[in-house]
Amino acid sequence: MTERLPSLPTVEAQIEERYLKDWSGLARGTPRAVFRPRTTDEVSTLLRDCHARGQPVTIQGGLTGLAGGAVPADGDVVVNLERMNAIEHIDALEGVMCVQAGATLQAVQQAAADAGWYFPLDLGARGSCQIGGNAATNAGGERVVRYGTMRDQVLGVEAVLADGTVLSSLTRLVKNSAGLDLRFLFIGSEGTLGIITRLILKLQPVPPEPVTAFAAAESTQALTKLLRGLKRAPGVNLTAFEFMSGEFVDTAGRLSELPCPVAPGQPWYVLIESAEGHASHDAGALQTALEHALEQGDIVDCALAASLAQADAFWRMRQSIPEMLTALAPTVNFDCGLPWAEMGGFIARLQDTLQRRYPDARHLFFGHMGDNNIHLMTGPHAGPDMHAVEAEVYAQLRGRDGTISAEHGIGFIKKPFLGCTRSAAEIEVLRRLKSALDAKGILNPGRVID
Amino acid sequence: MTERLPSLPTVEAQIEERYLKDWSGLARGTPRAVFRPRTTDEVSTLLRDCHARGQPVTIQGGLTGLAGGAVPADGDVVVNLERMNAIEHIDALEGVMCVQAGATLQAVQQAAADAGWYFPLDLGARGSCQIGGNAATNAGGERVVRYGTMRDQVLGVEAVLADGTVLSSLTRLVKNSAGLDLRFLFIGSEGTLGIITRLILKLQPVPPEPVTAFAAAESTQALTKLLRGLKRAPGVNLTAFEFMSGEFVDTAGRLSELPCPVAPGQPWYVLIESAEGHASHDAGALQTALEHALEQGDIVDCALAASLAQADAFWRMRQSIPEMLTALAPTVNFDCGLPWAEMGGFIARLQDTLQRRYPDARHLFFGHMGDNNIHLMTGPHAGPDMHAVEAEVYAQLRGRDGTISAEHGIGFIKKPFLGCTRSAAEIEVLRRLKSALDAKGILNPGRVID
């Protein structure tokens, strides 16, 4: 791998396979070079050079994305941040961390823990994904209901613009009203406006061991009512509310050989976690709230984990995704968002349509209800059917205040559908911002918008 | 007041006095007209017309700002949103409100309460300030330590751009990764990039009655240690942590005839509020934590309010600002932000310098420590001294990861000092964004940046 700086190599002897694909499996071509800079200055020098030449650049973190955003095309220059992985500073008094963008999420979590703090963002890809990629895609995960998305964890950003300008907006203050906050240009813009090189992160007090429960309900409406109740219940401090369809629990149970923790054969299940102040007292808070929900008929059965092992078993059910992706391959996977009031109708219409059209496939609904996030995994599907499934799902989102991507991003793969949930005026403003910061369009071309 | 649309009046018979000033007292001139549109379409038509003519526009909410951002110049067209004050919709299931930008903060709070929810942003100006102005300035206030700033309350924004384009980004989802989030162009940009016309707000569960305490400490370092401890204490749910210097408490006590609730003559005091799940249990949580802090020597005395009346008395001490502004007039007032670790040195250096140079003035430090926010009110000062005081305070902020405005904004008044805490590269990006969205510079010209 050639890494001469600042001038670009013209021929690339060998590019390692791992830089060519993300977890979506999409591959687009062979880049001319992969650079793995060690400093912000190196990133700046490289971009200045690419900018002068009009050279397209693909930015890479841990390549765990599902939208193809980090997958290079023929002739691209790849900038992978994996060598910029230092935890630079932790202010253990206030709970603030300065980190280079290439540190893995797991390294950030561990460094926070070592300093007596907690970094709440968490994803299955934690060991591989990079914190800069988490910011560029505004990652979500399983703790959003309590701590928000990656956006809510970031106090400051250093980014390199397309022309090599280093934009250091490394404020570490909870409040700062001195001019527009520039963090938000880079968080969630998927590398289209700059390369994030450094982040200031807000850390949280270490939460107590959570109480974990599993419950069954007859409808998604009942689940939203339960969720509303738990958000308001005294003493309950909700840290996860992960819903799953009966078919999801059935499939996960068979593949992972896990018994359903509560009454089997129900249409809906939910894994609930609550982390409260007083261990002895809190179990009571969630238990009291669930007993009330049983009396009200919002749930039909529930179980509290009596041990860490049992809580793990509940979570394994929810986290059987890799086994399912294999068993149902080839699958089509969705990451939709909808208001609570729209969820039931959306799911019912899709269950009906998909079951009717593809009776031999499984259609598994699950997700982070508190974050408005519905995932759907459907498969196996023949190649030609896959676009029809996409068209059907996105058609059901139109006009319902929803999103085609709650947490995975747009990248290449969802770009054709952006107009389902963003207006022409919004897309035009995205274009104006792109022109203002990357007039030549060298950063992550072809992603999100043209 | 002429309000012909869409063509602009050339002569204005009479402009009401209240549209000429904000709470800073700054006045700049006489606008040619004040428009009070009733719909987003009217705002759009008006801006299209102003854009065609290159007509400068000053945008107004409740005119309670302290940075002069809404104060018009000679010949401006003023757009005041006060007639667009409808609470349009509340989703009482999920806790989501759609509101026009001109509704007062108090009307929003009341509508949330009427629907069984809670809108947490709160400021002294609640009865006059408009929710659109709160968003445009990213307002803070006394509950940020628990709920964040206005930015954290906004799920979606509708704004009208300089050329009249209506940008509707009225998502109401907790998570949305479908392209860059455009909310953040308008929140905190003080009307320089568009006129906010409508907001989707996130509501919170109604918190329980808080437990209120007042404590005395020997240093700001002790206060940060106390704050850190309370953020981590089991069962404590901190909703306010308002520190005050001994001189502030002494002055407030004399002006408002309030006795100091704890040992008088201490260098630092703090008002603490904690809202927890179980009323009977929670008093214990804060009390336990404060007893521990006493044992550790972090505080030297404390009192828990035994009644609502006593809690009100604690708060009146903190909220004696109007009386102080009058008694110490003319004052110079600051809204700085600093990391906790920098606060003690910053305050000590300024106390020393200001006391030495202006021994007849009072120099009162107070603010929202959990939000990194230090306010300073100093006065009385002779006119020529006021700039010297500003220069001294802002010089002490340089190079300390601070901000010249934590919550009041930049407007006109702080624009000369923006470079103290924002880099040349940041200011250049602000300019590029301004050009991209308002090429003719008609919206709030002269504010924040040129």
Side-chain angles (χ1 to χ4, degrees):
Chain A
M1 189 174 318
T2 316
E3 299 211 17
R4 213 149 37 90
L5 279 169
S7 64
L8 300 178
T10 50
V11 177
E12 182 51 48
Q14 177 109 30
I15 302 282
E16 282 181 52
E17 187 70 20
R18 66 191 172 108
Y19 298 113
L20 305 184
K21 281 185 186 178
D22 69 5
W23 285 11
S24 73
L26 177 75
R28 298 171 59 230
T30 305
R32 66 193 295 188
V34 174
F35 289 94
R36 298 180 300 154
R38 292 179 192 277
T39 66
T40 301
D41 277 352
E42 284 184 14
V43 176
S44 170
T45 304
L46 178 61
L47 283 195
R48 204 177 312 129
D49 198 11
C50 290
H51 188 255
R53 298 160 189 251
Q55 165 65 51
V57 175
T58 280
I59 309 159
Q60 290 185 345
L63 285 154
T64 62
L66 295 167
V71 178
D74 279 331
D76 276 7
V77 158
V78 167
V79 180
N80 189 302
L81 280 290
E82 64 192 4
R83 283 180 177 160
M84 290 182 63
N85 63 358
I87 309 287
E88 296 192 327
H89 178 71
I90 297 181
D91 176 344
L93 172 69
E94 193 171 347
V96 174
M97 180 190 293
C98 181
V99 63
Q100 284 186 312
T104 63
L105 173 56
Q106 191 166 306
V108 169
Q109 290 172 337
Q110 188 59 52
D114 292 346
W117 289 87
Y118 174 68
F119 186 70
L121 190 86
D122 198 25
L123 315 170
R126 67 184 74 78
S128 307
C129 63
Q130 295 175 12
I131 197 75
N134 296 147
T137 58
N138 187 29
E142 283 146 3
R143 301 283 177 261
V144 175
V145 70
R146 170 71 181 82
Y147 294 100
T149 63
M150 182 64 182
R151 179 182 291 129
D152 300 296
Q153 321 310 323
V154 177
L155 293 170
V157 168
E158 177 191 79
V160 181
L161 304 185
D163 63 4
T165 300
V166 177
L167 184 72
S168 184
S169 206
L170 287 171
T171 174
R172 37 166 293 179
L173 308 173
V174 168
K175 275 193 330 201
N176 188 352
S177 289
L180 184 67
D181 199 320
L182 298 175
R183 279 179 286 181
F184 303 111
L185 289 175
F186 306 102
I187 299 174
S189 59
E190 303 188 39
T192 58
L193 301 181
I195 300 185
I196 296 172
T197 47
R198 195 179 259 120
L199 292 163
I200 306 272
L201 303 174
K202 179 165 62 180
L203 307 179
Q204 300 290 341
V206 179
E209 277 301 324
V211 184
T212 313
F214 208 93
E218 288 177 343
S219 67
T220 52
Q221 286 79 358
L223 286 182
T224 53
K225 195 155 163 252
L226 174 66
L227 173 55
R228 182 182 196 274
L230 291 179
K231 287 181 86 166
R232 292 163 161 261
V236 174
N237 180 22
L238 212 56
T239 51
F241 191 91
E242 301 287 308
F243 79 102
M244 295 158 263
S245 68
E247 202 171 357
F248 180 103
V249 167
D250 177 59
T251 308
R254 280 191 298 103
L255 291 173
S256 306
E257 293 179 17
L258 292 165
C260 181
V262 294
Q266 295 298 317
W268 293 101
Y269 295 91
V270 60
L271 189 162
I272 304 163
E273 223 189 56
S274 172
E276 291 118 22
H278 305 265
S280 61
H281 172 79
D282 293 344
L286 183 59
Q287 189 169 335
T288 304
L290 290 175
E291 281 165 4
H292 181 72
L294 268 172
E295 281 165 26
Q296 297 282 309
D298 297 339
I299 53 177
V300 295
D301 192 13
C302 74
L304 281 169
S307 63
L308 279 179
Q310 206 173 356
D312 281 349
F314 293 180
W315 273 107
R316 277 210 305 284
M317 182 76 85
R318 169 64 180 81
Q319 290 170 336
S320 307
I321 311 287
E323 293 86 339
M324 293 187 189
L325 284 169
T326 305
L328 304 187
T331 59
V332 194
N333 302 289
F334 297 92
D335 170 41
C336 304
L338 278 169
W340 295 1
E342 295 283 352
M343 286 183 171
F346 172 80
I347 291 174
R349 285 188 299 273
L350 276 177
Q351 278 181 321
D352 183 58
T353 307
L354 294 175
Q355 196 55 49
R356 202 157 24 78
R357 292 205 195 147
Y358 311 103
D360 298 331
R362 307 212 95 180
H363 317 291
L364 310 182
F365 290 87
F366 60 104
H368 322 286
M369 187 170 269
D371 324 343
N372 305 104
N373 193 178
I374 301 173
H375 292 299
L376 162 63
M377 179 193 301
T378 169
H381 285 287
D385 288 342
M386 296 177 100
H387 287 294
V389 171
E390 281 185 330
E392 180 61 35
V393 171
Y394 293 137
Q396 288 291 349
L397 273 178
R398 276 190 193 274
R400 299 187 188 281
D401 290 330
T403 179
I404 61 165
S405 176
E407 60 181 5
H408 295 168
I410 298 299
F412 284 102
I413 293 176
K414 290 185 186 155
K415 196 175 66 165
F417 304 100
L418 187 61
C420 293
T421 51
R422 300 299 292 266
S423 68
E426 286 182 289
I427 292 172
E428 170 57 23
V429 170
L430 293 177
R431 288 212 181 91
R432 285 202 221 174
L433 295 176
K434 177 73 174 172
S435 296
L437 293 179
D438 179 16
K440 293 186 176 179
I442 64 166
L443 292 182
N444 275 0
R447 280 77 160 184
V448 190
I449 51 161
D450 284 315
Chain B
M1 188 173 318
T2 314
E3 299 211 16
R4 212 148 36 91
L5 279 170
S7 65
L8 300 178
T10 51
V11 177
E12 182 50 49
Q14 177 109 30
I15 303 283
E16 282 180 52
E17 186 70 21
R18 66 190 173 109
Y19 298 113
L20 305 183
K21 281 185 186 179
D22 68 6
W23 284 11
S24 73
L26 177 75
R28 298 171 61 228
T30 306
R32 65 192 296 187
V34 174
F35 289 93
R36 297 180 300 154
R38 293 178 193 276
T39 66
T40 301
D41 277 351
E42 284 185 13
V43 176
S44 170
T45 305
L46 178 60
L47 282 196
R48 204 177 312 127
D49 198 11
C50 290
H51 188 255
R53 298 162 189 248
Q55 165 65 50
V57 175
T58 281
I59 309 158
Q60 291 185 344
L63 285 154
T64 62
L66 294 167
V71 178
D74 279 332
D76 276 6
V77 158
V78 167
V79 180
N80 189 302
L81 280 289
E82 64 192 5
R83 283 180 177 160
M84 289 182 63
N85 63 358
I87 308 287
E88 296 192 328
H89 179 71
I90 297 181
D91 175 344
L93 172 68
E94 193 171 347
V96 174
M97 179 189 293
C98 181
V99 61
Q100 285 185 312
T104 63
L105 173 56
Q106 191 166 304
V108 168
Q109 291 172 337
Q110 188 59 50
D114 292 345
W117 289 88
Y118 175 67
F119 186 71
L121 190 87
D122 198 25
L123 315 170
R126 67 184 74 78
S128 307
C129 64
Q130 295 176 12
I131 197 73
N134 297 146
T137 58
N138 186 30
E142 282 145 3
R143 300 284 176 260
V144 176
V145 70
R146 171 70 181 83
Y147 294 101
T149 62
M150 182 62 182
R151 178 183 291 129
D152 301 296
Q153 322 309 324
V154 177
L155 293 170
V157 168
E158 177 190 80
V160 180
L161 304 184
D163 63 4
T165 301
V166 177
L167 184 71
S168 184
S169 207
L170 287 172
T171 173
R172 36 166 294 177
L173 308 172
V174 168
K175 274 192 333 201
N176 188 351
S177 289
L180 184 67
D181 199 319
L182 298 175
R183 279 179 286 181
F184 302 111
L185 290 175
F186 305 102
I187 299 174
S189 60
E190 302 187 39
T192 58
L193 301 181
I195 300 184
I196 296 172
T197 46
R198 194 179 260 120
L199 292 163
I200 307 272
L201 303 174
K202 179 166 62 181
L203 307 179
Q204 301 289 341
V206 179
E209 277 302 322
V211 184
T212 312
F214 208 93
E218 289 177 341
S219 67
T220 54
Q221 286 80 357
L223 286 182
T224 54
K225 196 155 162 254
L226 173 67
L227 173 55
R228 182 182 196 273
L230 292 179
K231 286 181 87 166
R232 292 162 161 262
V236 174
N237 180 23
L238 211 57
T239 51
F241 191 92
E242 301 286 309
F243 79 102
M244 294 159 263
S245 68
E247 202 170 357
F248 179 104
V249 167
D250 178 59
T251 308
R254 280 190 298 104
L255 290 173
S256 306
E257 293 179 18
L258 293 165
C260 181
V262 293
Q266 295 298 316
W268 294 100
Y269 295 90
V270 60
L271 188 162
I272 303 163
E273 222 189 57
S274 173
E276 291 117 24
H278 305 265
S280 62
H281 172 80
D282 294 344
L286 183 59
Q287 189 169 336
T288 305
L290 290 175
E291 281 165 5
H292 180 72
L294 268 173
E295 280 164 26
Q296 297 282 309
D298 297 339
I299 54 177
V300 294
D301 193 12
C302 73
L304 282 168
S307 63
L308 278 179
Q310 206 173 356
D312 281 349
F314 293 0
W315 273 108
R316 276 211 304 284
M317 183 76 86
R318 169 65 181 81
Q319 291 170 336
S320 307
I321 311 287
E323 293 87 339
M324 292 187 190
L325 285 169
T326 304
L328 305 185
T331 59
V332 195
N333 301 290
F334 297 92
D335 171 40
C336 305
L338 277 170
W340 294 2
E342 296 283 352
M343 286 183 171
F346 172 81
I347 291 174
R349 285 188 301 274
L350 277 178
Q351 279 182 321
D352 183 59
T353 307
L354 294 176
Q355 196 55 49
R356 203 156 25 79
R357 292 204 196 148
Y358 311 104
D360 298 332
R362 306 213 97 182
H363 317 291
L364 310 182
F365 290 87
F366 60 103
H368 322 285
M369 186 169 269
D371 323 343
N372 306 104
N373 193 178
I374 302 172
H375 292 300
L376 163 62
M377 179 194 301
T378 169
H381 286 287
D385 288 342
M386 298 177 100
H387 287 293
V389 171
E390 282 185 330
E392 179 61 35
V393 172
Y394 293 137
Q396 289 291 349
L397 272 179
R398 276 189 195 272
R400 298 186 189 283
D401 290 330
T403 179
I404 61 165
S405 176
E407 60 181 4
H408 294 168
I410 298 299
F412 284 102
I413 293 175
K414 290 185 185 155
K415 196 175 67 165
F417 303 101
L418 187 62
C420 294
T421 51
R422 300 300 292 266
S423 68
E426 287 182 288
I427 292 172
E428 170 56 24
V429 170
L430 293 177
R431 288 212 180 91
R432 286 202 222 174
L433 295 176
K434 177 73 174 170
S435 295
L437 293 180
D438 179 15
K440 293 186 175 179
I442 65 165
L443 292 181
N444 275 1
R447 280 78 160 184
V448 190
I449 52 161
D450 284 315

